[in-house]
Amino acid sequence: MSSIKKSVIIHVREANELQDRPIKAKQPATKRSKSLFTVTNGQSLRSQVSDGRLVLRWMIHTTLHDPHPAAFARRYVISPHRKNDRFVVSFGLPALSATPRVLDDAPDVRSSAGTWKYNGTRTAQEHRQVLNVASYNYLGFVDLSIEDRDTLQYALRFLALADNGKGCNQRLENAVKQELKTFLGSGYAINLLAFPAMAASSAADSSEKPILLMDTESHSSMFVGAFIAHAATGARIVKFRHNSISDLRIKLEEVRGSMGSAEKVALGHVWVAIEGLYSMDGTVPPLPEIIALKQEYGFRIYIDEAHSILSIGETGTGIVGYFQNREPDTDSGPRLSTSDVDMLGGTLSKSFSSVGGFVLCSGELTQHVEARSRQMAEPGSSLIPTLSLIRTLQILMDPTTIRRRLTHLRNVSHFVSSRLIAKGYRISTTPGAPICAIIFDNVKRVLDFLRVGRESGLLCCGAAYPAAPRGAPRVRLSLTGAHTWEDVGEMLRLIDQVAMEVGVKSIREASRAPKPHVASEEAGCQKHCYSTSSLDRPAVSAIDSNTSIRALCSDSLYVANDQSARLRQAGMEVLSKYGLGAAGPRWMYGTSSPHLELEQLLKIAVMKCMPMRHSTLKLAGLSTTLFTDAAVGLLSIVSVCMEPLTPQRVKRGERHIVLLPTNARLEVKEGAAAAQRHASTHVEWYNSTAASSNKATEAENSFDKTHLTVFIDVRRDVEPGTEKRRLASLLQPYDTSALPSLTIIIFDGGVLCTRFESTREALEDMAAAVPNAFGSSKIQWILFSAFNTMPDLPGLQGAFGTGSKGLVEKIQFLGPGVMYTAMMPPVMAALAEAGVRRILDS
């Protein structure tokens, strides 16, 4: 295995024993619907009535509490414009916000949960200590030792925040790559890197179009990456049923049959994409059977190891290591090897408790992955932070703690799943894995469980369609190697207490509570350990490892001025309290106080840039959302704004025209590729002061049936030889007062370096080009910018979008870069908040 040539690309983006087999709750038969609003398929009549009442109550509540109830009802309830308007704006987001998912300290086993409104204000000075089973802190590494914290604070004080484009972090990156290769035996955005590279390699090696065979339960980022690959190479996307080998074989036979060859040709242009651990049901893929199919059909394999690295098996090396560590089965054929997998992607935002990601691939694929990595890193706003590189090294250089916590996590997982089954809960999990999902009969009961659980001192996450299968909403427990047996006992007691309070009828007393099965640490870590891993190395003391890490940082030293030093001090205080990583997405307790404080400050900053004649616009009409990665953030905004019209509006002959610049950034073009495209949506690429096609002219006599979305890059979209922005000339062919909806995306990379002066100019331009731009419910807008141009904080990663409340909230719910990816580290939010506050004060 060590002889297999492997390469690691780092990028921010960001025993066949019976008891170890997945426990999968039987799913109800469901009728597929194209509407996101249909959430009750496959449920009993009583459950449907319960959920229907819940949805109706929230829709009425949301409408009545809007500043303009009549306009809100027309726009989002009675006659919505876009496919998911009614569900997201009137139900989805208000229902989520009813249970604030905000932490007031690090996402550790015991966390302090404060009560916040999502407009950035506390509703009460409440700091409730709770048991946290909601964060992706699988091995407890969010908790920093004294030595580790000192090194991270040293980095924050004296080192560049990210690579400066001249290779200042090259030694650190090389060290992380080497550690990952050693550890593995050879982020959200990591799949945006991997899938185009996979398709490019297939296109280069075969005359056939690339084909991506994907599990139906694959993560959102995998499908986004596949859509981008499709746009770039024409790759076909084919889904197979979740973990179904028989359906995968059928799809492979169909592919082989479509090639028109009588011989059994190898399918080298086909990639089978799976996850190492499916986060919504806690199950693992049947990897041995998939590899057996690979030997028969000759396809290639990609595994997204986001949730399986440092979380399953005896070594934490992912799904391959998980199957290597199990008892050999004489009927299963040859033992698995890392050489059986062609490419895998991992994230640093979960067990590594930071942000970023990596790709491990076989040697012949390296050139395609490196080319894609360079392409994504060009803007300079999607780099891996220096702090993340250091934290990853600290963890990988502590094999003793990794070994001990993995063993304990397996024991906890086995015990929790067996107790829940004994008590009659309907669960989905793989004993030994950190994720256990409790399946409920309706969405209302899930929301009640989350609310009552939080009030009782238990933090956990819920999921419903589209994150979970229709008719199977669930509460998800995230177990960690840092939960003590006392924590486990309290967790089970609270689950029973909350379940009874919300009306779960099937819970029963277990016959007798067995003692937790605690495996021998030595046996758990040495028995059948077939892979070469960094866990087999002699332990290095924390002092020695941090000393060696500091020695790697000599090229990253940054001479900070007095202003920069003061700003960095704010980050150091937050680092001490919150740790480094958020350990979860926004809606899954990845949000902490620094995030909401920054969002509130950015709203105030943009509000101050409003033209004076529109000063009546209230702060409540604006909203802000943060993005961990600037490229993924912009991609998310573009894809959400290209959402299809409702079927009713399509039947009326309405169309959606999207104006994008021909010189658009990569993430804008890929956002268009990732969007849910419909025949009624037309993308027009403009390269002068007007759209370069006839569709604008065709629409002149049907403005009342034309929904328009315009993307403006403030730095690029200036008419030659003038200071005049292109927005007015782009909108000139349209009667904006007659349009049923107008959406304006303003990308301004100079917001911070111009101290919001460019924002003021952009909003003035919009006010001049669009009558009643900030007062009409038909007009929505969002301003997007990255933090990497912050004065005195060069290289600060992350981004934000501020604009119309309804649009921003939809992006928070539907945007792949918000809903399904970890929040930016609290320390980065604190640095940005300090920088913005200084700008406003000056």
Side-chain angles (χ1 to χ4, degrees):
M1 185 165 47
S2 59
S3 63
I4 301 298
K5 183 180 178 183
K6 294 286 182 180
S7 177
V8 178
I9 306 298
I10 299 179
H11 205 277
V12 59
R13 289 297 182 210
E14 224 54 341
N16 262 339
E17 298 171 4
L18 181 61
Q19 65 267 27
D20 281 341
R21 291 179 180 173
I23 300 170
K24 182 70 173 175
K26 184 179 179 181
Q27 303 294 346
T30 62
K31 179 182 178 181
R32 286 286 177 179
S33 167
K34 295 181 179 180
S35 173
L36 183 62
F37 197 75
T38 307
V39 296
T40 56
N41 285 344
Q43 296 174 251
S44 67
L45 179 60
R46 177 177 295 182
S47 288
Q48 291 188 40
V49 171
S50 176
D51 276 353
R53 290 173 58 189
L54 172 74
V55 171
L56 182 61
R57 186 165 66 247
W58 269 111
M59 289 173 63
I60 295 173
H61 176 274
T62 308
T63 302
L64 294 179
H65 283 75
D66 190 81
H68 308 285
F72 181 91
R74 286 194 303 270
R75 172 66 176 82
Y76 293 110
V77 180
I78 299 172
S79 182
H81 294 168
R82 305 295 178 87
K83 179 181 175 183
N84 297 314
D85 274 0
R86 183 185 293 147
F87 175 82
V88 173
V89 179
S90 63
F91 169 68
L93 272 163
L96 276 176
S97 299
T99 306
R101 292 160 172 81
V102 180
L103 298 181
D104 275 340
D105 58 8
D108 213 337
V109 171
R110 298 280 174 173
S111 298
S112 174
T115 300
W116 284 75
K117 285 184 178 178
Y118 269 96
N119 63 6
T121 61
R122 275 195 176 91
T123 59
Q125 290 295 331
E126 175 194 359
H127 296 273
R128 183 192 302 271
Q129 283 296 316
V130 290
L131 179 61
N132 188 348
V133 286
S135 300
Y136 298 147
N137 181 29
Y138 294 142
L139 289 188
F141 284 123
V142 75
D143 186 28
L144 302 175
S145 68
I146 295 175
E147 295 83 1
D148 290 347
R149 181 182 291 109
D150 287 347
T151 297
L152 291 172
Q153 290 181 337
Y154 164 83
L156 190 54
R157 185 184 296 116
F158 297 116
L159 304 184
L161 296 177
D163 194 276
N164 59 4
K166 300 178 182 179
C168 71
N169 277 354
Q170 193 61 53
R171 292 177 65 196
L172 265 178
E173 286 196 14
N174 290 340
V176 173
K177 292 177 184 179
Q178 186 57 48
E179 287 290 333
L180 285 170
K181 284 194 287 187
T182 303
F183 176 70
L184 294 169
S186 49
Y188 185 94
I190 208 64
N191 285 319
L192 309 192
L193 186 158
F195 277 80
M198 290 153 51
S201 67
S202 295
D205 297 342
S206 173
S207 58
E208 300 284 342
K209 286 284 187 184
I211 296 178
L212 304 174
L213 277 171
M214 304 181 64
D215 190 294
T216 53
E217 300 301 320
S218 293
H219 192 268
S220 163
S221 61
M222 297 176 69
F223 283 109
V224 171
F227 295 150
I228 293 172
H230 166 75
T233 65
R236 279 180 54 203
I237 303 170
V238 180
K239 299 179 184 179
F240 62 93
R241 287 199 309 272
H242 180 47
N243 280 352
S244 173
I245 292 298
S246 59
D247 193 48
L248 177 57
R249 180 182 287 275
I250 290 172
K251 298 298 192 297
L252 289 168
E253 284 294 338
E254 290 175 353
V255 170
R256 180 173 277 176
S258 67
M259 296 176 67
S261 174
E263 301 179 0
K264 292 186 177 181
V265 295
L267 305 180
H269 63 296
V270 175
W271 283 86
V272 172
I274 57 176
E275 290 189 52
L277 176 66
Y278 290 92
S279 61
M280 284 301 151
D281 58 17
T283 57
V284 297
L287 186 61
E289 291 86 348
I290 292 175
I291 289 177
L293 283 182
K294 176 186 178 180
Q295 295 169 352
E296 180 179 351
Y297 288 92
F299 56 79
R300 293 191 272 192
I301 297 176
Y302 171 76
I303 305 178
D304 179 354
E305 299 265 27
H307 287 272
S308 47
I309 294 288
L310 284 186
S311 71
I312 61 173
E314 297 172 4
T315 61
T317 54
I319 188 61
V320 174
Y322 168 82
F323 280 105
Q324 286 176 332
N325 298 150
R326 297 170 69 184
E327 286 287 344
D329 188 338
T330 54
D331 297 330
S332 62
R335 194 177 300 125
L336 303 189
S337 166
T338 54
S339 61
D340 294 320
V341 177
D342 300 275
M343 186 185 297
L344 65 83
T347 180
L348 306 179
S349 63
K350 296 176 176 63
S351 289
F352 286 101
S353 301
S354 52
V355 65
F358 60 90
V359 167
L360 179 76
C361 61
S362 54
E364 64 272 13
L365 299 172
T366 303
Q367 59 175 326
H368 300 288
V369 176
E370 288 182 336
R372 174 64 180 170
S373 181
R374 287 192 297 270
Q375 185 184 35
M376 293 178 71
E378 277 180 3
S381 58
S382 297
L383 302 173
I384 192 163
T386 303
L387 293 177
S388 291
L389 292 170
I390 291 175
R391 185 62 185 141
T392 302
L393 280 177
Q394 289 174 336
I395 292 172
L396 290 175
M397 296 173 74
D398 188 5
T400 302
T401 302
I402 293 175
R403 178 186 294 115
R404 183 177 66 251
R405 293 184 181 179
L406 280 169
T407 301
H408 182 64
L409 175 57
R410 290 199 308 279
N411 293 331
V412 167
S413 176
H414 276 280
F415 181 71
V416 169
S417 60
S418 65
R419 295 299 295 156
L420 291 176
I421 292 172
K423 292 191 173 195
Y425 289 96
R426 181 178 166 218
I427 72 169
S428 175
T429 187
T430 300
I435 297 169
C436 180
I438 306 176
I439 314 299
F440 286 79
D441 57 337
N442 58 54
V443 177
K444 180 182 184 302
R445 212 177 303 279
V446 169
L447 293 176
D448 288 345
F449 189 100
L450 299 179
R451 174 181 54 81
V452 176
R454 182 179 179 279
E455 293 170 354
S456 303
L458 180 70
L459 291 190
C460 44
C461 293
Y465 185 81
R470 294 181 187 274
R474 60 201 58 201
V475 167
R476 188 177 63 173
L477 310 177
S478 294
L479 309 173
T480 80
H483 280 119
T484 66
W485 288 114
E486 290 77 12
D487 295 330
V488 172
E490 181 180 352
M491 178 199 315
L492 294 172
R493 178 184 62 79
L494 287 172
I495 289 172
D496 288 347
Q497 173 185 319
V498 175
M500 294 179 66
E501 188 168 342
V502 302
V504 178
K505 304 294 186 183
S506 60
I507 307 308
R508 58 180 178 267
E509 287 292 331
S511 56
R512 183 179 179 184
K515 292 183 179 180
H517 169 69
V518 181
S520 163
E521 181 176 326
E522 289 302 314
C525 299
Q526 295 178 4
K527 183 180 179 183
H528 303 300
C529 187
Y530 299 113
S531 64
T532 302
S533 163
S534 66
L535 296 184
D536 301 320
R537 299 178 307 173
V540 179
S541 72
I543 295 176
D544 291 342
S545 63
N546 280 284
T547 300
S548 63
I549 290 172
R550 291 195 187 200
L552 294 169
C553 299
S554 58
D555 295 338
S556 304
L557 290 174
Y558 172 76
V559 180
N561 56 33
D562 292 343
Q563 197 63 256
S564 177
R566 283 193 288 270
L567 297 178
R568 288 175 179 239
Q569 183 61 37
M572 291 177 62
E573 295 169 1
V574 168
L575 179 65
S576 297
K577 181 178 180 180
Y578 292 89
L580 181 57
R586 181 185 192 94
W587 300 109
M588 298 180 184
Y589 289 102
T591 308
S592 58
S593 307
H595 296 124
L596 296 187
E597 290 168 354
L598 173 59
E599 289 180 349
Q600 181 73 356
L601 187 64
L602 286 166
K603 283 195 336 184
I604 294 172
V606 173
M607 192 71 188
K608 289 185 175 183
C609 297
M610 287 290 176
M612 289 300 295
R613 59 185 178 279
H614 296 283
S615 59
T616 55
L617 178 66
K618 296 181 179 179
L619 196 63
L622 292 180
S623 189
T624 296
T625 191
L626 300 176
F627 300 97
T628 306
D629 178 276
V632 175
L634 188 54
L635 180 151
S636 299
I637 290 173
V638 173
S639 64
V640 171
C641 290
M642 290 181 62
E643 181 188 12
L645 303 177
T646 62
Q648 293 79 6
R649 290 187 174 272
V650 173
K651 287 180 181 178
R652 295 179 204 162
E654 297 184 19
R655 71 175 75 191
H656 181 199
I657 294 180
V658 183
L659 302 181
L660 300 177
T662 53
N663 64 342
R665 302 162 69 93
L666 175 69
E667 48 267 40
V668 174
K669 297 178 180 179
E670 294 188 343
Q676 300 179 30
R677 299 294 287 274
H678 187 271
S680 62
T681 301
H682 307 280
V683 178
E684 304 302 321
W685 301 92
Y686 65 85
N687 55 15
S688 60
T689 57
S692 56
S693 80
N694 295 323
K695 286 193 170 58
T697 305
E698 293 172 2
E700 284 183 359
N701 298 320
S702 57
F703 293 124
D704 60 333
K705 294 186 177 182
T706 301
H707 300 257
L708 186 64
T709 295
V710 183
F711 179 93
I712 292 292
D713 188 327
V714 170
R715 288 297 185 92
R716 300 183 183 186
D717 292 337
V718 178
E719 293 183 22
T722 75
E723 292 298 322
K724 184 179 178 182
R725 308 292 176 184
R726 286 181 171 176
L727 181 59
S729 57
L730 284 170
L731 296 179
Q732 189 272 331
Y734 299 89
D735 180 0
T736 56
S737 63
L739 298 175
S741 72
L742 171 62
T743 303
I744 300 174
I745 307 169
I746 303 172
F747 173 72
D748 183 2
V751 167
L752 300 173
C753 64
T754 65
R755 302 177 184 271
F756 288 94
E757 189 58 37
S758 60
T759 300
R760 189 186 307 277
E761 294 175 1
L763 296 181
E764 286 279 5
D765 290 340
M766 189 167 75
V770 183
N772 200 21
F774 304 106
S776 172
S777 61
K778 298 191 302 182
I779 300 171
Q780 294 186 318
W781 61 277
I782 185 169
L783 168 75
F784 176 86
S785 188
F787 293 124
N788 66 313
T789 59
M790 178 80 74
D792 299 314
L793 291 173
L796 179 62
Q797 298 300 292
F800 71 93
T802 299
S804 305
K805 187 172 184 289
L807 177 58
V808 172
E809 289 183 340
K810 279 191 66 179
I811 291 168
Q812 287 179 339
F813 194 92
L814 295 175
V818 181
M819 191 66 170
Y820 302 107
T821 189
M823 280 288 275
M824 67 187 298
V827 62
M828 300 298 174
L831 290 171
E833 195 257 352
V836 173
R837 191 173 299 280
R838 185 178 70 83
I839 291 174
L840 294 181
D841 290 344
S842 63

